[in-house]
Amino acid sequence: MTEKIQIDVWSDIACPWCYIGKRNLENGIVAASDDADAPQVEITYHSYELSPDTPVDFDGSEIDFLATHKGMPKEKVSEMLDHVTNVAAGVGLEYNFDVLKHTNTVRAHELLHFAKAAGKQHDMAERLMSAYFTEGKHVGEIDSLVALATDAGLDGEAARAALESQQYLADVRADQAQAAQYGIQGVPFFVINGKYGVSGAQPADAFAQILRQVWAEDKA
């Protein structure tokens, strides 16, 4: 029997294209699931920090941060955010940059590894991204992350203990080191069966086609 296609996804909670790419991948899997011989897929999320120097409590808006970080005029940043908001809406995601709380995401990545150990990584990834982009929740503070972990069906006190002790920080750093070995310089980045690299938030039909191709290769 052919083993499942392994998809390793490098992404950041604070990356708007990563949430879009996540949804497109999921929709691509759904599209291919109607096939007579549907590809079987297993997804693992890996840590990548776009702006590791960001403070936990950033005093300013997303426009302020990007204008400073990228050296772009605020008007240009606003246009860019409007564009990504429209793209997100096209895949059923509601982005609210006006309430978004920009923060350092390393603790959120630690929480994703905690969730992975408990078999809840996918639920946790979805909860974190929705909280960040749609609900304007703070995903850098431990108290907020514990609440989100509980929302995802995890043990809140165990999550707090893991975050306070930085139990999974080494796993975050290992993911980042592997990304560097692969030469990943931007996210989302998808590695399929350890040999195919797909960069960016590809459309759902592109993901479906890639999965069909790899599934046929594996069977052959």
Side-chain angles (χ1 to χ4, degrees):
M1 183 177 178
T2 303
E3 294 183 359
K4 291 181 178 180
I5 297 172
Q6 302 295 318
I7 303 180
D8 293 285
V9 185
W10 271 263
S11 65
D12 193 0
I13 303 304
C15 163
W17 292 105
C18 292
Y19 198 8
I20 292 168
K22 177 181 184 294
R23 189 62 86 246
N24 282 347
L25 173 60
E26 292 165 348
N27 290 337
I29 292 170
V30 170
S33 70
D34 290 335
D35 295 0
D37 182 18
Q40 301 299 305
V41 178
E42 184 170 297
I43 303 169
T44 303
Y45 291 99
H46 297 276
S47 305
Y48 191 99
E49 291 179 89
L50 286 172
S51 303
D53 56 342
T54 305
V56 172
D57 295 303
F58 176 75
D59 185 19
S61 68
E62 183 70 354
I63 291 177
D64 293 333
F65 176 82
L66 290 173
T68 302
H69 189 73
K70 293 183 176 292
M72 295 169 58
K74 289 189 176 182
E75 296 77 12
K76 200 71 177 176
V77 173
S78 182
E79 290 175 8
M80 185 175 69
L81 294 182
D82 286 345
H83 171 66
V84 74
T85 298
N86 289 333
V87 175
V91 297
L93 300 174
E94 181 184 351
Y95 282 7
N96 293 311
F97 285 106
D98 54 334
V99 298
L100 184 149
K101 292 181 174 60
H102 201 93
T103 185
N104 188 290
T105 58
V106 68
R107 284 176 177 160
H109 285 296
E110 291 178 58
L111 184 60
L112 278 174
H113 279 280
F114 169 78
K116 178 184 176 183
K120 290 274 191 179
Q121 192 190 40
H122 293 187
D123 293 334
M124 194 71 255
E126 181 66 28
R127 187 69 195 97
L128 283 167
M129 288 182 168
S130 175
Y132 186 74
F133 284 108
T134 300
E135 302 163 43
K137 292 185 181 295
H138 200 312
V139 301
E141 296 175 340
I142 289 179
D143 286 349
S144 180
L145 289 169
V146 168
L148 295 174
T150 303
D151 290 347
L154 292 159
D155 183 316
E157 288 310 306
R160 181 181 298 278
L163 291 171
E164 289 180 347
S165 67
Q166 297 185 316
Q167 180 181 351
Y168 292 95
L169 181 58
D171 295 289
V172 174
R173 299 307 183 213
D175 277 353
Q176 293 169 330
Q178 190 173 5
Q181 289 176 351
Y182 277 141
I184 297 172
Q185 296 181 327
V187 286
F189 195 91
F190 307 83
V191 177
I192 302 174
N193 279 355
K195 57 182 180 179
Y196 299 112
V198 178
S199 179
Q202 301 296 323
D205 57 354
F207 279 120
Q209 187 56 40
I210 292 166
L211 295 176
R212 291 180 178 119
Q213 178 183 334
V214 173
W215 188 246
E217 288 177 5
D218 286 354
K219 292 188 67 178

